């Protein structure tokens, strides 16, 4: 949980270099807009997109499978709110995957 908590804090602070230090070299990332594999590809993708501003996030919870999940909300238009579930997998104190899907 410690690695994911630090990851979330760095994301909120927009410290993407610090965040990438917590990511495994072969990490797999998937969002509703894009999918990438590997730290270098993730860094390239992060430089393209401006990350959304989330609100209404829930606390991180560890699942029985040893993953960490939380729910986020963000606005895509003035009146449209999207709810997403973000799930992290961690191994050897590195984020090895992050899945973000609509709920």
């Amino acid at each position: 949980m410690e690695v994911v908590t630090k990851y979330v804090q760095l994301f909120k602070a927009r410290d993407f270099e610090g965040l990438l230090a917590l990511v495994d070299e072969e990490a797999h990332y998937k969002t509703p807009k894009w999918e990438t594999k590997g730290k270098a590809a993730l860094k390239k993708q992060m430089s393209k997109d401006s990350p959304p501003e989330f609100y209404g996030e829930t606390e991180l919870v560890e699942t029985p499978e040893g993953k960490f999940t939380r729910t986020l909300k963000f606005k895509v238009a003035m009146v449209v709110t999207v709810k997403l579930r973000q799930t992290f997998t961690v191994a050897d104190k590195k984020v090895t995957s992050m899945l973000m899907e609509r709920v």
Side-chain angles (χ1 to χ4, degrees), residues 28-57:
H28 178 239
Y29 272 64
K30 185 174 181 181
T31 75
K33 286 185 160 183
W34 52 267
E35 183 173 3
T36 190
K37 180 146 174 115
K39 186 188 281 193
L42 176 61
K43 184 176 183 176
K44 185 176 179 181
Q45 184 64 46
M46 290 175 112
S47 70
K48 287 184 194 177
D49 291 338
S50 169
E53 292 288 331
F54 296 109
Y55 71 93
E57 63 194 69

Side-chain angles (χ1 to χ4, degrees), residues 37-80:
K37 180 146 174 115
K39 186 188 281 193
L42 176 61
K43 184 176 183 176
K44 185 176 179 181
Q45 184 64 46
M46 290 175 112
S47 70
K48 287 184 194 177
D49 291 338
S50 169
E53 292 288 331
F54 296 109
Y55 71 93
E57 63 194 69
T58 61
E59 293 294 316
L60 282 165
V61 176
E62 187 170 3
T63 68
E65 298 84 24
K67 296 181 181 189
F68 303 94
T69 187
R70 68 182 182 153
T71 303
L72 307 159
K73 293 179 185 176
F74 73 99
K75 290 194 185 235
V76 293
M78 293 292 278
V79 294
V80 179

